[in-house]
Amino acid sequence: MARILIIEDNLVNMKLISTVLGIAQHAVLQAPLAGEGIEIARRELPDLVLMDIEMPGMDGLEATAMLKADPATAHIPVVALTAYAMKGDEARFRAAGCDAYLAVPFDYVELLALVARTLAADGGSGAGTIA
Ligand code: MN
């Protein structure tokens, strides 16, 4: 089990992702906006952040760059969620500091597999605890 922060302005996606992670026994933290998400990340230091890219105000890439620039949160893996995974986007996500990305809509098996892989690759407290 891991503590996972979801930063996502689309409430339908938020609910769906939270449900899938909850069934897999992960503890979920939620933020509907980037600024609030960054505050929660700093306070709660989750094991993983799922970051929507398209959000009003500060977008997910800017928010990821802020988390990665802060020594307190730089180690937390960030998975970008995007409806627009097109050629060149992966390079953009990685440049901002994202560790992986997932195209929405996604298969729930794909989501859980990516979460497990990303937690394992992090080598932090969550590593090796995911089946
Ligand atoms: Mn969005």
Side-chain angles (χ1 to χ4, degrees):
M1 172 180 143
R3 291 165 67 245
I4 300 175
L5 170 60
I6 307 166
I7 305 177
E8 163 68 88
D9 69 306
N10 180 312
L11 296 183
V12 174
N13 285 346
M14 175 72 94
K15 188 163 187 196
L16 179 64
I17 296 166
S18 298
T19 300
V20 171
L21 294 177
I23 289 168
Q25 306 295 317
H26 294 302
V28 173
L29 302 162
Q30 301 181 333
L33 289 170
E36 190 180 332
I38 288 169
E39 279 176 29
I40 293 173
R42 285 178 176 156
R43 190 174 66 233
E44 301 289 337
L45 299 177
D47 300 306
L48 176 72
V49 175
L50 295 177
M51 179 76 80
D52 182 28
I53 296 302
E54 294 84 24
M55 288 187 284
M58 188 193 304
D59 72 12
L61 292 181
E62 197 180 339
T64 299
M66 284 187 70
L67 290 175
K68 294 296 182 177
D70 181 342
T73 53
H75 67 284
I76 302 170
V78 175
V79 174
L81 304 173
T82 180
Y84 307 101
M86 293 181 293
K87 196 174 177 194
D89 277 358
E90 188 174 357
R92 239 167 25 97
F93 301 159
R94 293 204 186 274
C98 298
D99 298 86
Y101 76 94
L102 186 64
V104 178
F106 54 83
D107 189 280
Y108 78 95
V109 174
E110 193 184 356
L111 168 65
L112 292 177
L114 180 60
V115 164
R117 277 204 309 278
T118 307
L119 287 167
D122 177 46
S125 57
T129 61
I130 309 300

